[in-house]
Amino acid sequence: MSDPEGFLKHGRTPIPRRPVDERLNDFAEIEATRDPAERTAQATRCMDCGVPFCQQGCPLGNPIPDFNEAVATGRWRRAWDQLRSTNNFPEFTGRVCPAPCEAACVLGINDDPVTIEHIEREIAERAWAAGWARPVLPRRRTGHHVAVVGSGPAGLAAAEQLNAAGHHVVVFEKADRPGGLLRYGIPDFKLDREVLDRRIRLIERAGVTFRCGVEVGTDPTWRALHSEFDAVLVAIGAMQPRRLEVDGADLDGVVLAMDFLEQQNRVVAGEDVPTRERIDARDKHVIILGGGDTGSDCLGTSLRQGAAHVTQIELFERPPSERAPHTPWPRWPHVFRTSSSQEEGGEREWAFMTTRLIGEDGRVTGLEGVDVAIHHGDDGPRLEPIEGSERVLKADLVLLAMGFTGVRAEALFDDGLATPSPRGAIAGDDRHRTTKPGVYVAGDAMRGASLVVWAIRDGREAARTIDADLCGRDRLPAVGMDARF
Amino acid sequence: MPPTVGLYDPQTEHDACGIGFVAQLRGRPQRAIVEQALSILERLEHRGACGCDPDTGDGAGLLVQIPHGFFTRVWRERGRALPRPRRYAVGMVYLPADAERRAACEALVERIATEQGQRVIGWRDVPVDPDHVGPDANAVRPYIRQIFIERRRVVPSAFERRLFVIRRLTHEAARRDPALDPDRRFHIASLSCETVVYKGLLKPDQLRGFYPDLREPDFVSAIALLHSRFSTNTFPTWDLAQPFTRICHNGEINTVRGNRNWMLARRSQLQSAKFGGALDRLGPLISGHASDSRQFDQMLEVLHLGGRTLPHAMMMMIPEAWENDPSMAPERRAFYNYTASIMEPWDGPSAIAFTDGHLVGATLDRNGLRPARWLVTSDDLVVMASESGVVDVPASRVVRKGRLQPGRIFVVDTEEGRIIDDDEVKGDVVARWPYSKWLERNVFAIDQLEPVAPTPALTGQGLRRQQAAFGYTEEQIDRVIVPMARDGHEPIGAMGRDTPLAVLSEQAPSLFAYFHQLFAQVTNPPIDPIRERLVMSLSTAIGMGGNPFDETPEQCHRIEIKGPVLTNQQLATLRGIDDGVFEATTLSLCYPVDGGDDALEQAVDALCRAAVDALDRGFNLLVLSDRGVDADHAPIPALLATSAVHQHLVREGIRMHGGLIVETGDVREVHDVALLVGYGAAAVNPWLTFDTITEACETEALALDPDDAIQRWVQAADKGLLKVMSKMGISTISSYRGAQIFEAVGLDHDLVQRHFAGTSSRIGGVDLAALGREAATRHARGFSDDVRDGALPVGGELRWRRRGERHAWTPTTIASLQRAVRDGDRDAWWEYVEAVHADDEAPTALRRLLEFDTDGVTEIPLDEVEDAASIATRFVTGAMSFGSLSAEAHETLALAMNELGGRSNTGEGGEEPERWTPDPDGRSRRSAIKQIASGRFGVHTPYLVNADELQIKMAQGAKPGEGGQLPGHKVSDRIATVRCSTPGVTLISPPPHHDIYSIEDLAQLIYDLKSVNPAARVSVKLVSEVGVGTVAAGVAKARAEAIVIAGASGGTGASPISSIQHAGLPWELGLAETQQVLVANGLRGRVRLQVDGGLRTGRDVVIAGLLGAEEFGFSTAPLIALGCVMLRQCHQNTCSVGIATQHPELTKRFAGEPVHVIRFFLYLAEEIRQWMARLGIRRFDDLVGRVDLLRKRDDLAGKAAHIDVGAILTEISRPGAANRHAEAQDHSLEAHFDQSLFEPARAAIETGEPVQITTTITNEHRAVGSMLSGEIVRQRGTDALLDDTIAIHLEGSAGQSFGAWLTRGVTMLLEGDANDYVGKGLSGGRIAVYPPPDAGFDPSENVIVGNTVLYGATSGDAFFRGRAGERFAVRNSGARAVVEGCGDHGCEYMTGGTVVVLGETGRNFAAGMSGGVAYVYDRDGQFRSRCNLEQVELEAITDPGDRFLLKNLLEDHVRFTGSLRAGQVLDHFDALLNRFVRVMPTEYKRVLEARRAERPARVTPQPATWPSAVVRNWRTT
C-alpha cells in the first residue's frame, strides 16, 4: 500500500464542477477540468481493505482497491488494465454512475468515501488519451453469429464481450445511431457524445457490425432473427414510461421526459429538429414531476434552455439529511441528495401529489395538487392527502419523469421467443436465458429501468452465457459472487 | 509403542526429563556413587511426571558399570563362577510374563548368541518388588531377567560389537515374528560387558525399592548415568524408560525423521570395516517407531562401535554452532565443515549424558536450551545433573562448579582420572586428519566457478501464459512476489485466515497449499532467527553424501551456496560444471496434459525411473525442470516430483549418489521453497518468479534493477526459511532438508504413502488423478482459448475479492452481523447465520462436512434447554493486547464479558491497574484472563494476583512458533507504562518462553503461577497440529487446569503472510485429537478444554462441543460486532474504525459498545439452544464429547466428497475415565516452602513491622518467595510494604524459580546457589545469592545461578556473587542486577533496568536489547566480539550519572554478597572505570535524549538504599 495514512492526510475532493453561471450557458460536461495529481492523492485515501465492500457494492465487481493502488503509485496503465478487466465502459460509469461503490466504501462509515467514480473517470480519460483503449480483438473466430438487439449499455457490453470471444456480432438499433439511452437519454452535460462515439468506433473496429434504423419485430421479425442467428440477445431497454393519470394529462405542454431529453440531445448533436416540434423551456414555468435522475436531467436541460422558473416535484417526503436508519452502511443510503442540476437552480417540492392539470386552449397553464402525508406500513407506503393544502402551481411545461413501467416487446412475446415477467419486463433466468433456447435478455429489458452499471453487468453476464452455450463451457470472465446489500 | 488410533499418532510422543551422572574421577567403584545417583533421581522427581495413576511414573533408571563383585557373589551363591571382568557380558532383558512365550524369547536370545559364537552362561531372575510400582505400570510389567554371556573367539575390543550384533539380530528377529511376543514386552534394555541398565516404568523414588539389587552393599560402580522421564502421554511402556545403551537425553530431536531418512538414504554407502559388512543384516540402523532419544542412542551406538570415540560421535551428531563463529579455531571449524558432508546434525534442544563405561560425559545442543550443572569435589566426586543442589556436598569440599555451555562437551575420563575440557576433547578429535586441506581441495563456492549465461527471461504474453499455467494469481504477484523483491522480506498481514483448506478450494490451488508447516510448542522451543542468528545456518552444499563411518578427503567434494535458492545464472553454472566429478543432467517435469486421469501418475513413475537411470549413468546432479510448458504439456507439481524422486531414490538406496536441484515455476513464496527443501531438494531455482520480477522491473511495478530485485527476493526467501526452520526449533538447513516438518491436509492416504511417506495426512482426500485435474485446470488458464485478455486470476486469498477465493468473512456476513448486534435485530442474526452457512454447498471448513446425527434422538421443547445466560458463561474473548487494540476496544470487550459472566483476556500487554477497581456504576473493566506470553510485558505480581485465570500462551494460531513485535510508533506513553517499557521504543516478544524449553519447564511455570495466585486457574494455549493431543496430555500432566486448542485460522495483529496462510491446522483436527488422547490416557477429567479459531455461529459451537470442547473463544467475531470491517491492517496503526490502533484521531472513531458484544453472545447462545433442543440435550455439559451425534454429510460433491473424517469422529473411551472436566488438579501447594513463612511473616504483612527469618532450603523447594509475594499483594496491594520488611536468610541450594515474582518488601538472601529462573518476573523484591564463606572455589569463576535469571523482571534488585548461565536478565524491564559473569545471550530483549556484569559474558550479549543499560567489566578487551551490536552502542563511561549508578551498585554488591571482585574494582574504581563498557540501546538512547530535550529537568537514577544495619543483622541471626 502506497500510504496507509493517506486517508488521514487528504480529505475527499471530487472533480470540481465548472461554476454554475458558466455551465448553464452550454451543454458541455459540467466537470471539465482534469487534475491527475489530485486524483492520485485521492487514490491514496483508499485503505485497501481486507474486505473491500466497494467491490461488493459495485454491480460489476470492479477491482477498486487494486486500481486505486495502481493510481496511487502512478501506474496508470496498470490501473486501466485492472479497470477494464471487469468494466467495458469505465468512461461511462466514471461519469454517470451513482456510485454504489462509494456508498459501500469502508471509509464512508465515519468519514467521506473515496472518490472512486472520479478516479475511474480519470483512469479512463488517461487511457483514451494515451491510446491504451484499443479494440479487443478475438484470438480466433468461432464462426457463430450472434444478434444483439439494442445498442444501449447492455447491448454494447454484450457485443464487445461476444466479439472478443470470437463470435460474429451484429447489433440492431432502431434509432439512426447506436447508443440507446446513452445517446438519447443522458444529457450531454453529463456524458459528452464524443465519449460515446469513440467507444462505438472502437467496438466497430474490433469487428462488431451495427445496423441502425432497424426496427426488430417489424423488419426483420424476431422469428426471422432467431432463425438467422445462433443466438439473439434482447437488450431493448425498458422504455415504457409511467403515465400521469389525472385530468389534463393530455394537454399540450405535458411532455414525457424522454422525449424532451432526446430532442435536446439531437439538437446538441447538430441534428435538424423542425421548430414546430421543438419542446423549448425558454422563459417558461416548468414543472417536472419526478425527483429522480431523469427529473434532474430535465431540470438541468430546462435551465440551460432558459426556463423562467423550474419546480421539481417528488411525490414522497424529503429524505433525511443523514443516512436513514433503515439503510445502514454499506447499503445504498436513503438520504437527501442534491444533483448537479439541482445545484444549478430550480425549486424542489416534496410530498406533493398532482391531482389535476389545468389548461387553456388545450395548453397547460397550471398544476393542481395537494400535500400528502405518507404512512409507511408493512405493505408499502400509503399516501394520505392533507385537507386544505390544495394549491395550484403555474406551469407552461410539465415534464413527466416518473419512471418506467416496462418494456415494449409485444412482437417478441407474440413470436413466442420470450415471456413477460410479473413486473412488466422480459423474463430471464439467473443466466439471462429466456424461455426460448437461443434467446437471451439483458439490461433494463430484463430487470426494469435501472442503472447503466447494471446494464453493463447484464450485458457481460449474458454474453458469458451465450458464449458458454455456444462453446460448451464458460470461457468469458464472470462477475463473481454477488449479493446486494 | 501404542498403535495409531483416531487422530493419535505415536510418532508424536515427546518426553523431557531430569538427567545426570555421578562419577568417581579415578574410576574407583563405590557404593556411594550408586547411592548418590539414586538420591539425585529422587531430588529430581519434580522434573518427572506421573499419569492418571499417581503411582505410575513415566520412567526412571540408572546405567552403571557392571558390579562384578556383586554378580560374582550372586552366581557363587548359585554354585557357579563368573569369568573375569569384561570376559562376560550382562544383558538386561524384558520378557513376556507368559512362561511359554518367555521361554521362546529366551531361546531366541540364546540361539543368536550361540550363532554369534558366544557362550551363554545362564539366566538370572532379577529380583523385583511389585510393591514399588504403580498399578498401571505393574499391569504391563515385563518379566525381567539378566542373561550372562561369556566372550568366545573375539578379541576383547570386538566383544561389545558382537554383543551389539546379538542384540540387533534378536530385536530384528522378534520384529519379524509378531507371534513371538504379541504384547511387545520383549526387549533387551542393555547387553554389554561394561555397563548394565536398571530402569522401568517407575517414579524415581520407586527405583531403589523396585530393584533390590540396587540396595546391595556390593552393588558398586564408578559411574552412574541417571534419568527421570516426563512423557507427554501415559500409554505405559517399559522400554521407553532411559538410560539407553550409551546415553540418557533431556530434550527433543526435532529433525529425527530427516536424520533417520538420510541414514536410510545412505544405506548403500554405509560401510564399516568393523562390522565386516554385517550392517545390512541388522535391519534398519535406526528404528522408526522408537523415541527420538532411542534413535539417537542407536545412531550413536553404531558410530561408536564403528570406531568413533563417544566425544567424536557426539561432535558429529550435535555440532556446535560453528558456521557463524569467527572466533573458533580454524581446525575445529574445518572438522565441522568436513563432517557436514557426511552427517546431518541431529538438531534440537538436548542435554545428553553419555558413557561407554570408562568415559563419562555430557554435551549440550548448540542453543544451550537445556540446563546442566556440574560440580567437582576435593574427594574426586563429579556430579552433573539438570539441577544444582541434587547432592549434599559441603561447599568446603567443592573445588569447581559450572554448567554445560551451548555446544560444549564435558568429559570425565575415569581411566586417566581427570576431567578433560572441551578444548582438549575437541582438539584431539579435530587433529586426527588435515580437514582444512581436504576442504581446500574439494570444496568450491559456486561463485568461484566459471559463470555461464542463464536462459533469458520471458516477457509479455509468453510470460503471462506460463504464469497462468503455473497457477499464478494477480494477488501473488502484487502482494507476495513483488513486495519480497522490493523490501527483501516477506510481507506482513493481519487478522486470520478465513479461506478454505486447499482440499476444499475450487481454485485449483498449488500442491504446496495442501501442506501445513509444523512448529514447536511446549516440548521444545522455537528459535529466534533474528536475534539468535548466530546459531543458525542456511549454508547449502551440493554434492554426494558420504559414509559417516569413513573419513577420506573425497567425501567432502562439494559445491557450496549460501542458501538453497539458486539464481538463474547459478543454475546455468551448475549445469555447465565440468570438474571431472560433477556432471549435471536435466529431467523434464512436463507431461502431456490431455493424457487422462493416469497421465500424472505415469509421468511421476517415468520421472522416478529416469532419475535412477541418470544416476546409473553416472550423473550426480539431477535438475528437475518444469521449463518447457506449452499448449500440450503441463508441469508435474514440483513438490510431487521432488518428493517422489527423493523417496524413490531413498528406497532404492542410491539417494546419496546425487544431489537434487529443482528448477521450477511453481515456487512463488517462502513456504514453497521450504517444502521443496523439506522434501529433499538441495537447491531450488524459482525461474518463473525471477522472470516475473524481471518484468515487474521493466514495467513500472518495481523501481529496481532486475538483478538487485531478484537478490532481494532471495534474501526475503532466506529470511523466511530461517523463520520456518526456527519455528520448529531447527537451526541448520542441512538438518531441515528432508525432515518433512509438515502435515498434509486433504491428500489421499495412498498418495502420501507412495510419494510423501512419513508425512501425516489424517483425513485422506485428493489422489494423483485429482491433482492431475487441478494441474490441467491451471494449464488451461494459460493455454486454452479462454477470453481473459491476458489477465491472471485475481487470487483473493489474502484479501477478499469478488472473483477470488471464498472467505468466511464477506461483505454480507460482516454487514448482517453488524446490523444484528447494533439494532438488536434478531432477523439480521439469522441472515448472518444463513450467510455463514451458505458455504454448505461448497464447504470452506472441515466442520461443514459434518452434520448432526439425529437418528434415534428425541427433540425436546426449547424451554427445557439450559438458558442462554448460562451458556454464555462458556464464552471468552481472545487474547488481544492493549496495544494491538485501542484502550476503547479493549475495555469495551472486558465490560461486555464481565456483564455476560464470560471472560475477556488481557493478551500479551499487561493491564492498567485502574481497571482492577470497578467503575462507580459497578461495571468492571478488568480482564478475567491474564495472559502470560513470551514477552512478559507487564507481568508482575499485581497483574497475576488480579486474575481469575492465568493463561500461558504457548503458540498463537496465526503465527505459531513465532515471536511478535510492537513497533515503536505504537508504543504510546500509556502503553509503555502498562508494559513497563519506554515510549517510542519497539518491543520484541521472543519466539519461545525462555523459561519453557520443554514440558517439565512448563510444569514449573504452572507451579510458579499457582504459587503466586493459587485461586486462579492456569490454562495453557496450544495450536492445532499433528501431535497436539500428546502435547496436551503432557500439559495436563504438568497440572494445567484448562487447555486451549487454537485453530490455525485465528487472528493476529501482525504476522508474515506465509505464517498466517500455512502454519497450523484447523481446530477440528486439534480438538478431536486432544479429546481422544486425553480420554485414552485417563487425563481428560483433569482439564477443561477450550477451543478457538474462527468460530462464528452456534452450529460451530455445538460441533466443537460434541468434539470435546467445554469453552469457546471468539476474537474476530466480537471485534466485528464492535465495528471491525476486516481492513486487515492492524499492523499499520491505521484502523479506520478505531479498534486496532493507538492513533488518537482514529480511536475517536471507535463506535462499539458493550451491548454489541453482549448481543452477539446472547444470539449465539440462543442459536445453540435451538440446536440443543433438536439434539434432545438439556444441559450443555451433556453434549461435551458426544461425537456419536456427528456424522459426515452424504451430499458432498467434488474434492470434499473424498475426505475421510473418520479419524475426527473416532470415539475413544476408557473404562472409568471421564470425557469432560471432572476433577481438580493437585498442585501440592500445601507443601510449598512459603507455607512455613506465613506464620513468622504474618505481623509484617499486616502491619509492616520488619521481620527476619532464617532457614534452610534444597533444590526441591521451588518458587520460594512467590507464594508469600502473591499473598502480600492480595492482602495489601502493590507497594504496601517498605523494602526489606520481610528479610529471609536461607542456606542451601534453591530450587527453580527462586524469588519468582518476589514483591516489594521481601528480601531473600541465599547462601549457597540457585537453579534456573531466579528472580523471574521480579516485582520489587530483593535477591542476593552468594557462596558460603568456606567455599572451596573462587566464587567469581564459578556458577552460582542457572539459566534465564530475571526473565521479565519489572523492578527490584538482584546480586549474584558468581557467574550466571545463559540469558541472564532476558527481557528484564526494570530490575537492577549485578553478576560476576554470564553465559550466552545476556540481557537479551532487555527493555529496561540496569545490569552490571563484573566478568566475562558469553556470546550474543544484548541481542534484541531495546532499553535499559548494561555495564560490562571488559577485562580481556574482547567484549565487543561477544556482543550483538545490531541494536546497541558500546560506549565509555563518561557521564557522572552512570559513574554514580555503577559505583553505587558495586558498593551494594559488596555490602551484600561480600564480593571480593567488586571490592577489588571499587578499590581502584577510577583507574578501572575505563575497563567498563556501557551497553546502550541505540533506539532507547535516541528516545531518552528526545525526552530529555522535552523535559530539561534531569532525572538522576536513584541508587538502591540498602539499610546496612539490616544487612549486618541478617548475617548474625
Side-chain angles (χ1 to χ4, degrees), chain B residues 900-975:
Chain B
L900 205 57
R903 275 160 288 144
S904 65
N905 190 320
T906 52
E908 179 180 19
E911 189 170 72
E912 292 174 302
E914 301 78 61
R915 290 172 62 177
W916 302 335
T917 314
D919 291 357
D921 60 5
R923 302 194 307 168
S924 171
R925 295 166 192 272
R926 164 185 176 274
S927 293
I929 307 173
K930 298 282 186 295
Q931 193 174 60
I932 291 90
S934 64
R936 303 287 159 93
F937 296 110
V939 179
H940 39 53
T941 322
Y943 174 85
L944 297 177
V945 166
N946 283 286
D948 301 334
E949 174 172 336
L950 297 169
Q951 181 180 78
I952 302 169
K953 177 179 90 170
M954 292 312 306
Q956 181 177 340
K959 49 174 172 184
E962 290 180 46
Q965 191 156 319
L966 191 70
H969 66 89
K970 274 185 122 172
V971 184
S972 64
D973 283 19
R974 205 168 151 189
I975 289 186

Side-chain angles (χ1 to χ4, degrees), chain B residues 534-777:
Chain B
L534 83 162
V535 299
M536 300 195 70
S537 169
L538 288 176
S539 176
T540 298
I542 298 176
M544 291 160 292
N547 170 17
F549 294 107
D550 204 8
E551 289 182 290
T552 59
E554 297 74 35
Q555 294 227 47
C556 64
H557 193 93
R558 62 178 198 244
I559 300 155
E560 280 190 340
I561 42 180
K562 291 199 185 88
V565 179
L566 290 174
T567 62
N568 292 350
Q569 177 173 324
Q570 287 174 326
L571 178 63
T573 303
L574 279 181
R575 274 210 172 97
I577 194 167
D578 180 20
D579 68 344
V581 176
F582 286 117
E583 197 164 356
T585 185
T586 298
L587 305 175
S588 173
L589 305 187
C590 300
Y591 71 99
V593 68
D594 55 1
D597 268 3
D598 295 339
L600 181 56
E601 183 168 0
Q602 287 164 3
V604 173
D605 291 347
L607 176 69
C608 290
R609 286 194 302 273
V612 173
D613 186 49
L615 292 182
D616 285 350
R617 284 187 288 138
F619 293 105
N620 44 24
L621 293 180
L622 303 188
V623 182
L624 307 182
S625 173
D626 53 26
R627 278 189 190 262
V629 168
D630 59 22
D632 302 320
H633 293 88
I636 302 174
L639 175 59
L640 174 63
T642 304
S643 187
V645 168
H646 170 68
Q647 299 210 342
H648 184 71
L649 297 179
V650 167
R651 279 192 294 266
E652 294 288 312
I654 54 172
R655 173 63 182 87
M656 305 314 274
H657 291 193
L660 281 186
I661 297 162
V662 187
E663 178 183 36
T664 178
D666 261 354
V667 165
R668 58 213 89 167
E669 57 169 317
V670 171
H671 180 64
D672 308 348
V673 180
L675 269 160
L676 290 175
V677 174
Y679 281 89
V684 176
N685 167 243
W687 63 272
L688 187 52
T689 282
F690 290 159
D691 286 3
T692 302
I693 293 169
T694 303
E695 191 187 58
C697 296
E698 280 160 11
T699 60
E700 45 205 0
L702 266 175
L704 290 170
D705 166 67
D707 287 341
D708 182 18
I710 285 170
Q711 272 317 318
R712 288 178 192 222
W713 189 93
V714 174
Q715 186 192 352
D718 283 351
K719 283 186 198 165
L721 276 175
L722 286 172
K723 194 152 215 170
V724 172
M725 285 158 47
S726 67
K727 76 175 73 159
M728 191 60 208
I730 293 176
S731 308
T732 69
I733 195 118
S734 53
S735 47
Y736 185 80
R737 178 171 302 113
Q740 305 185 6
I741 317 274
F742 294 89
E743 175 170 1
V745 178
L747 291 187
D748 174 69
H749 181 73
D750 291 342
L751 165 64
V752 170
Q753 278 300 104
R754 262 193 79 193
H755 298 307
F756 300 97
T759 300
S760 276
S761 180
R762 298 181 287 173
I763 55 166
V766 301
D767 56 9
L768 270 182
L771 288 183
R773 286 192 292 275
E774 295 202 327
T777 302

Side-chain angles (χ1 to χ4, degrees), chain A residues 47-48 78 140 473 478, chain B residues 478 785 799 802-803 1129:
Chain A
M47 301 190 293
D48 187 22
R78 165 89 177 151
R140 62 181 78 84
R473 63 189 174 88
Chain B
D478 289 351
D785 57 351
R799 324 229 118 199
R802 223 160 81 171
R803 291 192 284 184
Q1129 338 198 306

Side-chain angles (χ1 to χ4, degrees), chain B residues 183-259:
Chain B
D183 300 333
R184 305 170 82 168
R185 303 226 177 128
F186 180 38
H187 176 74
I188 304 177
S190 69
L191 176 61
S192 165
C193 63
E194 303 280 359
T195 59
V196 62
V197 172
Y198 279 76
K199 64 180 181 182
L201 191 58
L202 302 165
K203 289 167 58 174
D205 59 355
Q206 294 169 334
L207 191 66
R208 186 195 299 261
F210 182 74
Y211 286 113
D213 282 4
L214 296 178
R215 303 199 296 265
E216 297 291 337
D218 50 353
F219 193 97
V220 295
S221 175
I223 291 172
L225 240 53
L226 58 101
H227 188 271
S228 149
R229 179 162 182 255
F230 187 138
S231 160
T232 48
N233 77 7
T234 46
F235 292 116
T237 47
W238 282 63
D239 57 334
L240 287 181
Q242 297 196 35
F244 296 117
T245 65
R246 299 273 182 303
I247 64 149
C248 54
H249 172 217
N250 172 12
E252 178 130 342
I253 307 291
N254 302 324
T255 56
V256 68
R257 187 177 301 164
N259 295 126

Side-chain angles (χ1 to χ4, degrees), chain B residues 79 186 814 934 973 977 991 1107 1113 1175 1283 1357:
Chain B
F186 180 38
I814 294 172
S934 64
D973 283 19
T977 305
L1107 291 175
L1175 289 169
D1283 288 340
D1357 302 288

